[in-house]
Amino acid sequence: MDVVRILIAILLPPLGVFLQVGIGLHFWLNILLTIFGYVPGIIHAIWVIVRK
């Protein structure tokens, strides 16, 4: 399942984080990072998914 979440995180970083942790601090942080730059959003999303 983590492989699917990582693929989703590459396409839509906030969705990947949402599927991992739900709506919380990391979700809102990832939306902010994705707005400021797509790559930081991807890096953060993958970090949240792999950290589990």
Side-chain angles (χ1 to χ4, degrees):
M1 188 67 179
D2 284 344
V3 173
V4 174
R5 287 186 189 134
I6 289 173
L7 290 175
I8 292 171
I10 292 171
L11 297 174
L12 294 168
L15 181 59
V17 173
F18 174 74
L19 293 174
Q20 183 69 27
V21 296
I23 294 179
L25 174 67
H26 286 292
F27 175 73
W28 295 111
L29 178 61
N30 190 268
I31 287 180
L32 187 66
L33 287 170
T34 303
I35 289 171
F36 286 134
Y38 189 67
V39 174
I42 292 173
I43 293 170
H44 178 257
I46 292 173
W47 177 76
V48 168
I49 293 168
V50 172
R51 185 181 60 130
K52 176 189 173 191

